[in-house]
Amino acid sequence: MRIGLVGAGRIGSFHAEALQALPTVGELVVADVDPARAVEVAARIGARATGSVDGLFASGVDAVVIASATSAHADLITRAARAGLPAYCEKPIALDLAGTLRALREVEAAGTMLQMGFQRRFDAGYLAAREAYRDGRLGRVHTIRAITSDPAPPPPEFLPLSGGLIRDCLVHDFDAVRWLTGREVVEVFARGSAGGAAFFREAGDVDTAAALLTLDDGTLVTATATRYNGAGYDVRMELSGERDQLVVGLDHRTPFTSAEPGGPQGPQRPWTGFLERFDSAYRAELAAFVEAAQGRAANPCSGREALHALLVAEACELSRAEGRPVWLEEIAKDM
């Protein structure tokens, strides 16, 4: 296949290398709003750069991978749909529900494929936990605890583009919970705090958040996130059942130190960020996209799946703003 990659920044550069390494990709065409950056990335991995996004769409690619700035996602998804091209896009589709729905309707009207980037679905630990949950090995799972912790805040200019901590970080946990359990979130209660840098408060964002989710079978889920986990990058999920308890993300690089005498001490090399922690998951995700775009496999994460995770995030933001529990039907009633 000939794949077009839009975006040559941090994650775009990673995706370029991963795509170029796939034997099913015959040619990779790279475009970026900064043409020089596209040239640099393409030259480093042996791909081809084009001077503009227009040039990429005119180059005859068979599918498009979107790793651009968030503000451009919806327009690029729409453009790919109207060109009849399968597309992969990093989340989110858009920063608001209305923009998300508009883009999804374009995809559905065109009858094209859109795969969204929720890489935890391809992580070995999450896959094993999903299998254990669905096989009943844990018994009745009554509690799930999800953790997403960044080691340091992003640059201030990132915040207005991110949608906030809940939409940017916890949305991954919301998707993982739905995908892993096969259950829907019916109610949320969320709180946030911003005791760190002033730019969080100035942006109307928080640097730490916690949400209590109730699933449709009564399972309780806690999901927490922070921008200030100085020990390192920490992503885990704990599933507690009547028969056993299982933890995703617990290994020799998990950034924590036991307070117990003789307990585990902090790792020598803690995880530093999402690209390192989920390297193999990202690669598997892109390989799955190419297979799906070729018609050899089903879409592993459709735009509608991403919409469900966004709805949970929107409910959490409303709960945080109004200080009350929010039922998902309040958010979804006008869809």
Side-chain angles (χ1 to χ4, degrees), residues 1-3 23-28 62-63 86 289-294:
M1 292 190 76
R2 301 183 72 230
I3 304 292
T24 47
V25 175
E27 184 181 32
L28 180 66
D62 302 307
F289 167 66
V290 174
E291 285 199 5
Q294 290 176 322

Side-chain angles (χ1 to χ4, degrees), residues 103-159:
L104 285 179
R105 288 170 185 144
E106 289 279 356
V107 172
E108 290 161 0
T112 53
M113 172 200 165
L114 171 63
Q115 177 181 328
M116 293 304 298
F118 282 104
Q119 83 283 358
R120 296 185 196 183
R121 294 179 176 222
F122 297 86
D123 176 75
Y126 281 95
L127 285 164
R130 184 177 193 259
E131 181 180 355
Y133 178 95
R134 299 203 175 200
D135 285 352
R137 278 178 265 162
L138 306 178
R140 180 182 68 90
V141 173
H142 46 77
T143 309
I144 298 174
R145 306 172 191 90
I147 298 168
T148 295
S149 299
D150 286 336
E157 58 270 19
F158 172 77
L159 295 186

Side-chain angles (χ1 to χ4, degrees), residues 15-126:
H15 286 349
E17 187 274 325
L19 287 164
Q20 188 72 353
L22 290 174
T24 47
V25 175
E27 184 181 32
L28 180 66
V29 181
V30 183
D32 191 89
V33 292
D34 179 355
R37 187 161 63 176
V39 168
E40 187 277 324
V41 168
R44 177 160 44 83
I45 63 173
R48 180 164 76 87
T50 183
S52 66
V53 175
D54 288 343
L56 183 145
F57 277 96
S59 68
V61 295
D62 302 307
V64 177
V65 171
I66 300 167
S68 63
T70 296
S71 58
H73 286 186
D75 286 343
L76 289 167
I77 288 170
T78 296
R79 187 166 185 176
R82 291 178 178 178
L85 296 175
Y88 166 96
C89 184
E90 285 300 324
K91 63 84 187 167
I93 294 173
L95 289 179
D96 63 349
L97 190 54
T100 298
L101 289 170
R102 282 195 298 271
L104 285 179
R105 288 170 185 144
E106 289 279 356
V107 172
E108 290 161 0
T112 53
M113 172 200 165
L114 171 63
Q115 177 181 328
M116 293 304 298
F118 282 104
Q119 83 283 358
R120 296 185 196 183
R121 294 179 176 222
F122 297 86
D123 176 75
Y126 281 95

Side-chain angles (χ1 to χ4, degrees), residues 7 11 52 87 112 186 197 209 249 255 301 313 316 320 324 326:
I11 198 164
S52 66
T112 53
V186 295
C301 187
C316 286
R320 180 175 75 85
R324 64 176 179 90
V326 173

Side-chain angles (χ1 to χ4, degrees), residues 95-298:
L95 289 179
D96 63 349
L97 190 54
T100 298
L101 289 170
R102 282 195 298 271
L104 285 179
R105 288 170 185 144
E106 289 279 356
V107 172
E108 290 161 0
T112 53
M113 172 200 165
L114 171 63
Q115 177 181 328
M116 293 304 298
F118 282 104
Q119 83 283 358
R120 296 185 196 183
R121 294 179 176 222
F122 297 86
D123 176 75
Y126 281 95
L127 285 164
R130 184 177 193 259
E131 181 180 355
Y133 178 95
R134 299 203 175 200
D135 285 352
R137 278 178 265 162
L138 306 178
R140 180 182 68 90
V141 173
H142 46 77
T143 309
I144 298 174
R145 306 172 191 90
I147 298 168
T148 295
S149 299
D150 286 336
E157 58 270 19
F158 172 77
L159 295 186
L161 307 175
S162 71
L165 179 65
I166 292 175
R167 295 186 188 94
D168 182 44
C169 290
L170 281 178
V171 72
H172 280 286
D173 295 293
F174 302 154
D175 177 73
V177 166
R178 291 187 63 257
W179 166 80
L180 194 153
T181 65
R183 297 289 181 178
E184 295 296 340
V185 177
V186 295
E187 185 190 44
V188 309
F189 182 73
R191 298 300 295 265
S193 65
F199 60 73
F200 286 103
R201 297 183 292 278
E202 292 165 359
D205 195 8
V206 294
D207 57 54
T208 303
L212 173 63
L213 317 178
T214 303
L215 304 188
D216 57 15
D217 66 346
T219 301
L220 296 180
V221 180
T222 61
T224 63
T226 185
R227 300 290 194 185
Y228 283 100
N229 197 57
Y233 182 71
D234 189 12
V235 171
R236 279 177 284 140
M237 182 176 284
E238 303 172 4
L239 295 90
S240 298
E242 291 179 334
R243 294 181 189 166
D244 201 357
Q245 186 165 242
L246 195 63
V247 183
V248 177
L250 182 61
D251 60 22
H252 67 285
R253 298 190 67 183
T254 306
F256 70 85
T257 299
S258 173
E260 300 298 328
Q265 298 305 295
Q268 292 185 346
R269 287 196 315 122
W271 296 111
T272 59
F274 63 93
L275 287 178
E276 182 186 38
R277 165 69 175 82
F278 290 109
D279 179 287
S280 59
Y282 277 117
R283 294 177 188 275
E285 182 178 48
L286 290 169
F289 167 66
V290 174
E291 285 199 5
Q294 290 176 322
R296 297 191 292 116

